[in-house]
Amino acid sequence: DAYATVTRLNTCQDSLQSRIQAVYLAQAAAGIDLDEHARARLDAERNIVLEREAAALRSRNFWLALLAAGVVLTVIVWSYARIRQDKVVIEQQSAIVSQSLAEKEMLLREVHHRVKNNLQIISAMLQKQARLSGDEGFRSFVRDGQDSRCSR
């Protein structure tokens, strides 16, 4: 019977050893499953953080682009207003210059007219003097003066 007891003891030990190995394998498999689950959870959390950072970056880029567009639009509007203002100033100055030119032309015509009248008066006075004068040289001198004036 000792043999049967030893055989049974060996069988029990083998069975116990198998069960212990099965428990270790189950624990290892459970640990692996837990590690894979933890890794998957960490990957999911990392992806969420990356998506949030990407969304924040897109939002920041959108606001920067909007700000840049606003600055460009402001510069364009300011330039347009400045050009219109300069155009108004130029038109005003042009009107002033045109008015001044017209006044100067009128004054020049007036001076020309007065000079012409004065020359006619002088010519008439010289003719009268020449008629009243008995000196033929003086008469010749007056005629020469009138002829040179007319030839110009």
Side-chain angles (χ1 to χ4, degrees), residues 6-79:
V6 170
T7 306
R8 209 185 308 146
L9 180 65
N10 280 340
T11 304
C12 283
Q13 279 181 348
D14 285 344
S15 175
L16 185 60
Q17 192 75 16
S18 293
R19 284 186 186 166
I20 291 173
Q21 284 179 351
V23 168
Y24 282 137
L25 286 175
Q27 285 177 350
I32 290 173
D33 285 345
L34 286 176
D35 286 345
E36 286 178 4
H37 179 68
R39 268 191 235 120
R41 192 186 76 225
L42 286 175
D43 287 343
E45 289 174 358
R46 201 173 301 129
N47 286 339
I48 290 171
V49 167
L50 289 175
E51 286 175 13
R52 285 181 186 161
E53 289 175 356
L57 183 63
R58 281 192 304 272
S59 176
R60 185 170 40 120
N61 288 342
F62 170 77
W63 289 111
L64 286 174
L66 190 62
L67 177 66
V71 167
V72 168
L73 185 60
T74 302
V75 167
I76 289 171
V77 168
W78 178 82
S79 297

Side-chain angles (χ1 to χ4, degrees), residues 73-133:
L73 185 60
T74 302
V75 167
I76 289 171
V77 168
W78 178 82
S79 297
Y80 179 73
R82 181 64 187 219
I83 288 170
R84 287 189 71 202
Q85 182 183 9
D86 289 348
K87 187 176 180 181
V88 167
V89 168
I90 289 170
E91 287 173 356
Q92 290 172 347
Q93 290 175 349
S94 178
I96 291 169
V97 167
S98 295
Q99 182 182 1
S100 176
L101 179 62
E103 289 173 359
K104 285 178 177 45
E105 286 175 348
M106 185 191 70
L107 290 173
L108 184 61
R109 283 193 305 271
E110 180 67 26
V111 166
H112 183 263
H113 179 69
R114 288 181 183 200
V115 167
K116 212 169 133 182
N117 284 344
N118 289 340
L119 286 175
Q120 284 178 346
I121 290 170
I122 291 170
S123 177
M125 290 170 75
L126 284 173
Q127 279 181 348
K128 187 174 183 181
Q129 286 288 333
R131 272 195 318 260
L132 295 176
S133 170

